[in-house]
Structures are given as structure tokens and as C-alpha cells.
Amino acid sequence: MSASKPLVGISTYLERTRFGLWDVEAAVLYRGYLDCVVKAGGNPVMLPPVGTWTAETIGFLDALVIAGGADIDPAAYGAEPHELTGEPRRDRDDAEFALVEAALKLDLPVLGVCRGMQVLNVALGGTLHQHIEGHNEAPGVFGHTDISVVADTKLHAILGDHTNVQCHHHQSLDRIADGLRVTAQAPDGTVEAVELDGARFVVGVQSHPEQDIEDLRLFEALVHAARRKA
């Protein structure tokens, strides 16, 4: 690891994409993740949902971001699909569960964003509410939610008692996995953040911090933790 530029892996997703002369399947990622990592002092590394992800194959990384995106297959937490649950993306589910398992084995700093927090919860044995109202104003439009942060948590040290976040989701955490601690909630009680007890830095947020390039607090905390990699 370079002391000044930790390598931060970010999960990506496969989509039909148009660029240049081409209309093809591609591994894609919203650029905000890349810009936030760079501005926070890291170097981003895009990780596609193909290949084999283990502790051995991600050992070159200094931190990991599990990005937002599509709904997790309910079969992963033993549930039947709700009528509003999206089509499963099992390739991405499998890759991101493997990335989380590998990162925890290595004690890498991890930031889970929206779906990424849900992946963290399901990977550790938790479940999801497959549909909630009030956190998804319209397709492609981010809403704003005031959240309350629990004292004496990593998130509180980063964000303070309260903050306003951008959200765009219709699922949320239900049963919290063993070892995870709820660290923030929305006014309606929706779980807005969790962290893993005993880990150096494993934080999940239901919001989208990559949407605000001027507020780098979460990404800076991740990169700071990455610099302390053993």
C-alpha cells in the first residue's frame, strides 16, 4: 500500500450500456464513487461481478466499498419474493457476498452503500423488508432524510448527532444480523446505518454519500482506516 493513496475496491454491476459506437454488456459504476474516493485521498479500483473473490484475490486492497444497486435475491435470506421486488441479479449477489466474506477475513475497512448495507446484513445472517414506502420519491430522484445517529459509535464520530442524507430505496433492514449494531435511524424508524462490533471499520449506510462530492466525511473515514491497515 502507498501510505498516501490506499487502494479502495468498489463493487460494480453488469448492465447493457451504450458508449462510442457500441451497445454492449459492460461492468459499470456511477462516477460519484470514484470521485469521492479520489477526493478523500484514495485510489479507486473497480471490481466486476465476475471472477473469483477471496481473501487471497483481494489481498492487494486496503479498503472495500459495496455500492448501491438492485434488490438482493430474497432466496439469500430465506424469503419468497414480494411483488415489488426486482428481478434477481445473482451474479452480483454472489460476488458481493464473497467480497464481504473476504474483506471481513482480512479485517479490511468496509463501507456498504444502500444495497451495500443490505448485502452486509444478509451476508451475516440478517433479513430485509422487501418493500417500504416514503424513501423513494421517484425513479432516479433522490430524496432527503434527516437521520439521528447513536452516540459512542464510529458513525457518530464521523457525522455527529444528526445529519441530512440522500436516499433512494424501497427496501430496508429487518432482522439485524448478529454482530451488527444499529447506529442511525430515520424519523419513521427505518434503519439508516449499522456497524460491525469488533471490526476496525465496517460501516453500512442506507443513504447515498457518493451523491454529495462536497461532503466526504464517510469516504475520508474509510480512507483513514485504510491507511491504518496492518
Side-chain angles (χ1 to χ4, degrees), residues 125 151 153 170 200:
T153 61
H170 82 111
R200 187 153 47 100

Side-chain angles (χ1 to χ4, degrees), residues 31-92:
R31 179 175 172 170
Y33 289 100
L34 308 176
D35 291 339
C36 285
V37 167
V38 170
K39 287 193 70 173
N43 268 335
V45 179
M46 293 172 63
L47 306 174
V50 296
T52 302
W53 300 114
T54 65
E56 291 72 28
T57 60
I58 71 164
F60 69 98
L61 295 175
D62 302 303
L64 175 67
V65 176
I66 302 295
D71 296 340
I72 298 169
D73 184 354
Y77 47 95
E80 294 295 321
H82 185 279
E83 62 180 3
L84 295 177
T85 296
E87 288 296 314
R89 303 288 187 91
R90 295 188 181 93
D91 54 352
R92 188 173 178 196

Side-chain angles (χ1 to χ4, degrees), residues 162-197:
H162 303 276
T163 195
N164 186 269
V165 297
Q166 296 191 55
C167 61
H168 188 285
H169 64 98
H170 82 111
Q171 300 194 338
S172 65
L173 270 56
D174 183 9
R175 188 180 74 245
I176 306 302
D178 291 345
L180 286 181
R181 177 184 183 189
V182 174
T183 58
Q185 290 182 297
D188 65 0
T190 297
V191 175
E192 286 288 338
V194 293
E195 62 187 51
L196 183 61
D197 290 335

